[in-house]
Amino acid sequence: ALSILVAGLVAAAVKAEAAVAGAVAAPLRQRIWLTAIQPFTGGGWDAGISMRVGAEIMLEEINSLSSLLPGYELHIAWQDGRCDAKVGYEIFLENEYDQHYQVFAPGVPINELDSNGDSTISTNETLVMGQTWNTSLVAPGPVGLLGPGCSGAALRVAPVAFKARLSMISNSATRPGLSNFPNFFRTIIPDTKFNAAWLAMIELLGQTSVVAVIGETENWASMGTALAREAFERNIELKGFVMSEMIDGFTGLQISYDSSTAAQDTAVELLRLKERIVILLMFELRNRLLLCENYKVGFLNAVYMPFGWLQHGWWMESDTECSAQQISYMATGFIAASALLWRRDADAALSCAANMSAGDLRQAWLDRQLTT
């Protein structure tokens, strides 16, 4: 992601600095700042630490390659968005209008973040490790935003960032509606690509109709619209309630919040519809709630199609009225769609690094996290 930023955000910033400075040469190794809002902690998703490790490797490579940004040095203020749309949005507003940056555990080694040793790095643990930075450290002002890492926050931030003329690039925000913002870029495929995979599999299984269960409108509407468009082109019927007033073109069922009662209502409707295949446009907990209620009402032997980027073993958590074994029974045979996260040509040289291949990057990323 950082190499793409160098080509766009940083180049623009360098030109802007040159225009202001006129004939005065830029100081040696002038700093160029980026902010980052990533999910370091929180219940939704907490992959931010791994994301930062990869970015720091490339940051070092970029800054050591003198021909790439001669006279300049990239720096990043990392902040914990907790995969929470409200938290991520408030962080962005504080950055943009107050020039305050709530930096996540700067300088603290990974093995010291889990201070209570319970194998979970929590918000409460890391808050005391954070620092508040301001313009005395982050100067000149940031020229771009890495993230937010979660789509909910990215959808909240993108329209304001566009008005502020601030470019964003996310490595993991996949919601289709983000493509509507000309200031938003990403280094991962949008979720729309999964629709084609799911529907192609439905065709291979000889089905002509499907029911989709979607999450809250604010977060998932663009995905529902994209699914409806792809289904129409493939002549596959979407079953359920017509929801076009809220989600353009979409027909299906909805669970708008984490509730067993809401999931039960949907389970009853699924039992009535008796569709063989159910597409799940929701996060992990809501998937489990629905599978539990389906088990209880006797809607059995359906083939579920969730996102492949959900945490492995998402069906094994015991946070519903059903046991992990019952949820696993319901999930058996699910078909997930995901992206290829590592390139296959491991020997390919990285243009933004002096001496690193794609394979070298992957190994360095694993080594720094003490994993294999």
Side-chain angles (χ1 to χ4, degrees):
L2 287 174
S3 59
I4 296 176
L5 268 172
V6 169
L9 306 182
V10 175
V14 171
K15 289 179 181 177
E17 291 289 340
V20 172
V24 179
L28 182 64
R29 303 294 283 175
Q30 179 175 328
R31 292 189 171 193
I32 297 177
W33 278 96
L34 305 170
T35 57
I37 301 174
Q38 298 292 347
F40 288 100
T41 66
W45 190 40
D46 55 0
I49 292 170
S50 290
M51 295 174 181
R52 184 177 68 174
V53 168
E56 285 177 338
I57 294 169
M58 293 315 304
L59 189 70
E60 293 164 10
E61 290 294 318
I62 289 169
N63 285 336
S64 66
L65 187 60
S66 59
S67 61
L68 191 58
L69 286 173
Y72 294 89
E73 187 174 71
L74 280 177
H75 290 263
I76 302 174
W78 295 98
Q79 301 163 104
D80 186 8
R82 306 181 201 170
C83 207
D84 183 300
K86 183 174 184 292
V87 171
Y89 183 62
E90 289 176 350
I91 288 173
F92 171 74
L93 294 180
E94 187 178 17
N95 294 172
E96 189 67 19
Y97 297 108
D98 298 330
Q99 289 77 53
H100 289 167
Y101 310 90
Q102 305 300 330
V103 180
F104 177 83
V108 179
I110 292 177
N111 60 1
E112 295 180 14
L113 294 173
D114 180 20
S115 59
N116 63 11
D118 65 352
S119 300
T120 300
I121 298 172
S122 69
T123 304
N124 288 338
E125 284 176 299
T126 55
L127 273 178
V128 297
M129 305 176 190
Q131 295 178 8
T132 300
W133 293 359
N134 54 32
T135 52
S136 65
L137 281 174
V138 183
V143 301
L145 167 63
L146 292 178
C150 291
S151 292
L155 285 165
R156 291 282 299 274
V157 168
V160 184
F162 175 66
K163 294 292 186 181
R165 299 182 180 179
L166 185 74
S167 293
M168 304 165 57
I169 183 166
S170 178
N171 52 300
S172 53
T174 55
R175 207 68 73 247
L178 290 163
S179 297
N180 297 329
F181 297 99
N183 62 315
F184 179 83
F185 306 87
R186 50 183 151 204
T187 59
I188 189 170
I189 63 172
D191 289 336
T192 45
K193 301 298 182 182
F194 301 152
N195 291 329
W198 284 324
L199 295 173
M201 183 61 67
I202 288 168
E203 290 176 323
L204 287 174
L205 294 173
Q207 304 295 306
T208 58
S209 61
V210 64
V211 60
V213 183
I214 197 168
E216 66 277 13
T217 302
E218 179 184 20
N219 196 16
W220 297 99
S222 59
M223 186 62 182
T225 297
L227 175 64
R229 187 182 305 117
E230 185 78 22
F232 177 79
E233 292 175 358
R234 290 175 176 268
N235 200 30
I236 294 176
E237 182 183 4
L238 295 181
K239 293 294 188 69
F241 300 119
V242 176
M243 300 175 59
S244 293
E245 289 188 5
M246 296 184 296
I247 303 174
D248 186 31
F250 181 73
T251 295
L253 306 176
Q254 186 172 37
I255 304 177
S256 297
Y257 51 95
D258 295 334
S259 160
S260 56
T261 300
Q264 182 184 49
D265 293 340
T266 300
V268 170
E269 188 62 24
L270 285 171
L271 184 62
R272 185 188 70 81
L273 290 171
K274 291 183 171 61
E275 283 296 308
R276 184 78 170 94
I277 299 176
V278 181
I279 294 176
L280 301 175
L281 305 179
M282 303 181 293
F283 291 122
E284 300 169 12
L285 175 55
R286 226 164 288 181
N287 287 347
R288 289 191 293 272
L289 288 168
L290 178 60
L291 265 59
C292 177
E293 296 304 321
N294 285 348
Y295 179 85
K296 287 157 63 175
V297 304
F299 180 60
L300 309 176
N301 300 320
V303 176
Y304 295 97
M305 293 187 170
F307 293 108
W309 42 252
L310 297 178
Q311 181 177 341
H312 180 71
W314 60 264
W315 56 90
M316 285 298 295
E317 298 293 327
S318 299
D319 52 4
T320 71
E321 296 175 5
C322 298
S323 67
Q325 289 73 25
Q326 289 169 331
I327 300 296
S328 297
Y329 167 75
M330 294 296 291
T332 298
F334 75 81
I335 301 173
S338 191
L340 182 67
L341 298 180
W342 291 106
R343 55 191 297 168
R344 291 192 177 97
D345 52 343
D347 293 333
L350 301 181
S351 60
C352 54
N355 240 331
M356 178 176 277
S357 68
D360 294 334
L361 170 61
R362 180 174 184 174
Q363 191 57 54
W365 182 79
L366 292 170
D367 290 343
R368 292 198 187 189
Q369 298 173 90
L370 304 177
T371 57
T372 56

